[in-house]
Amino acid sequence: MCLPSKTMPIRCLIVDDEAPARDELGYLLSCYPDLTIIGEAASASKAVSLCLERQPDLVFLDIQMPGQNGFEVIRALQMADCPLPLFVFVTAYDSYAVKAFEASAVDYILKPVSEERLAHTIERARAFLGQQINPLQKQLESLLTKIQGSDHTPLPTTHRISVEKHGRIRLIDPRDIVFCSYDDSRVMAHTRDDIFPAYGIASMDRMEEHLAGSTFFRAHRSSLVNLEAVVEFSPWFNGKYSLVMGDKARSKLTVSRSRVKEFKQRLGL
């Protein structure tokens, strides 16, 4: 539930490469009368440009985006020697993985964003914005110093995936996913006994990023398989491989010819 406030207006920027995630957060923020969304960005470079141009007070910042990540937005703004806004990290990472970021931001919010959690975050932001200087400036500088040596900051592995079931959002362990497919313009997560549309993940590339560093392998442009759930495989025609997966339906998938070598390497063959 939104909490009315008589404080000064807060100019907000939403940064997330997934349009559904931006739309959902924008909708939740729209019921706060003291918040004004002054722009949205789908990439780090666009976020930096909008921050420099419009100077928001508060930025809701996705951490993992294709190309440059959210930390590099902060780094670029610091190098531009401009006043830093306050940041709220919005992430699909499990809570323990983002504890390290907590001291460097107003707050963090786990996807899917809940109204209650967002209300707590807005209250924190109002409190920080009531101070004369950014009280998190030193922590941000410390964070950026730690990641300065890497062009692409290593990020924690996602520990839960958001999916939809009967109009509600569920969080499932990636180890319970047998494979992911792309069907009817949606990413589908197949467990042993069920199939769920992924929530807030609109492309297979995005799902692959969420599962980076795990046992998942991109077998085909439209499929992502859990190597631990492969029951059997065999050479197929035109240099491809055929897989039988460990779901109840014993689904058959294909490893494209260009990915066969990496598939065998991942299996230690």
Side-chain angles (χ1 to χ4, degrees):
M1 178 180 296
C2 295
L3 299 176
S5 175
K6 296 181 180 180
T7 60
M8 62 181 180
I10 301 174
R11 294 158 46 83
C12 302
L13 180 67
I14 298 174
V15 182
D16 196 305
D17 66 303
E18 293 285 353
R22 297 196 305 273
D23 292 343
E24 176 68 12
L25 183 55
Y27 171 76
L28 293 174
L29 292 174
S30 66
C31 65
Y32 289 89
D34 59 330
L35 267 62
T36 301
I37 299 174
I38 61 171
E40 297 182 3
S43 67
S45 59
K46 181 63 174 179
V48 172
S49 176
L50 286 177
C51 283
L52 294 174
E53 175 187 343
R54 303 181 185 180
Q55 298 184 348
D57 303 307
L58 182 63
V59 177
F60 291 88
L61 182 62
D62 188 16
I63 296 177
Q64 188 170 21
M65 295 179 288
Q68 295 178 306
N69 63 49
F71 293 123
E72 291 171 287
V73 172
I74 304 173
R75 180 189 298 168
L77 291 175
Q78 186 189 47
M79 293 178 64
D81 196 25
C82 67
L84 289 178
L86 294 178
F87 294 95
V88 172
F89 291 125
V90 184
T91 174
Y93 301 142
D94 206 348
S95 57
Y96 87 91
V98 294
K99 287 293 185 182
F101 311 147
E102 190 172 13
S104 303
V106 172
D107 208 349
Y108 67 86
I109 305 176
L110 294 177
K111 297 178 181 179
V113 178
S114 72
E115 293 183 25
E116 294 78 9
R117 189 69 179 86
L118 182 60
H120 173 76
T121 295
I122 298 302
E123 285 303 301
R124 285 175 60 89
R126 288 171 179 153
F128 278 118
L129 287 168
Q131 302 182 41
Q132 294 298 314
I133 60 172
N134 185 342
L136 300 172
Q137 181 73 39
K138 293 297 183 181
Q139 291 95 319
L140 283 171
E141 291 176 358
S142 176
L143 171 66
L144 294 175
T145 298
K146 293 178 182 178
I147 66 176
Q148 196 69 39
S150 173
D151 290 334
H152 296 282
T153 305
L155 299 172
T157 301
T158 300
H159 285 265
R160 291 186 293 179
I161 296 296
S162 302
V163 297
E164 298 181 31
K165 181 69 172 182
H166 301 315
R168 299 176 66 88
I169 308 302
R170 293 181 57 183
L171 296 173
I172 61 176
D173 192 319
R175 292 173 295 185
D176 294 331
I177 300 175
V178 176
F179 68 96
C180 299
S181 64
Y182 193 73
D183 181 48
D184 194 26
S185 300
R186 299 199 71 176
V187 176
M188 310 298 293
H190 300 249
T191 64
R192 176 176 172 78
D193 301 309
D194 211 340
I195 304 174
F196 303 93
Y199 176 82
I201 303 176
S203 69
M204 192 61 73
D205 288 344
R206 181 66 165 168
M207 179 63 87
E208 185 177 19
E209 291 174 359
H210 275 282
L211 296 170
S214 67
T215 59
F216 282 80
F217 171 74
R218 187 72 174 269
H220 189 272
R221 62 183 179 85
S222 60
S223 63
L224 190 63
V225 303
N226 186 343
L227 294 175
E228 293 185 348
V230 176
V231 175
E232 62 181 63
F233 66 92
S234 58
W236 206 29
F237 69 91
N238 290 337
K240 302 176 183 178
Y241 267 43
S242 176
L243 307 180
V244 177
M245 303 305 298
D247 56 326
K248 184 182 292 186
R250 285 296 189 267
S251 299
K252 294 184 178 180
L253 303 178
T254 301
V255 180
S256 61
R257 182 172 59 182
S258 63
R259 302 177 191 269
V260 165
K261 182 178 179 180
E262 184 181 352
F263 171 71
K264 294 171 69 175
Q265 290 175 339
R266 289 285 300 273
L267 292 180
L269 301 177

